[in-house]
């Protein structure tokens, strides 16, 4: 059994990224509230078939790097009144991320 070819990882832990501001039709795995916001790569989770393609019974290839991205709550919600260091971590596929 051969291993599917993966898209090379463009980011590493500590990289600053921005989530694409997009609203494509169909099934997406990137939460609306983080689109257009800046975060920092916490870690690379591995390479996985693209779930946005799998939802339509396609092969999901090439496999995509999946990252855990850390966002400060005040970056996501401007009126956030909690601790300044509070953060949310979201797993996001590479095709949704741009370098900052």
């Amino acid at each position: 059994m051969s291993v599917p070819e993966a898209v090379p990882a463009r980011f590493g832990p500590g990289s600053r990224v921005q989530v694409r501001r997009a609203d494509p039709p169909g099934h997406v795995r990137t939460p609306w509230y983080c689109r257009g916001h800046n975060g920092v790569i916490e870690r690379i989770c591995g390479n996985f078939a693209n779930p946005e393609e799998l939802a339509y019974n396609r092969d999901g290839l090439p496999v995509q790097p999946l990252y855990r991205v850390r966002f400060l709550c005040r970056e996501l919600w401007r009126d956030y009144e909690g601790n300044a260091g509070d953060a949310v971590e979201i797993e996001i596929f590479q095709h949704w991320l741009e370098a900052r």
Side-chain angles (χ1 to χ4, degrees), residues 11 15-19 37-39 98-100:
F11 309 109
S15 296
R16 293 194 44 77
V17 294
Q18 183 176 53
V19 181
H37 291 279
N38 299 320
E98 301 169 343
R100 260 330 267 158

Side-chain angles (χ1 to χ4, degrees), residues 37-38 73-81:
H37 291 279
N38 299 320
C73 291
R74 66 177 185 229
E75 167 68 29
L76 295 175
W77 302 286
R78 298 291 181 196
D79 58 350
Y80 183 76
E81 296 180 6

Side-chain angles (χ1 to χ4, degrees), residues 17-32:
V17 294
Q18 183 176 53
V19 181
R20 285 186 324 134
R21 186 182 302 270
D23 189 18
H27 175 83
V28 296
R29 294 289 306 250
T30 300
W32 180 262

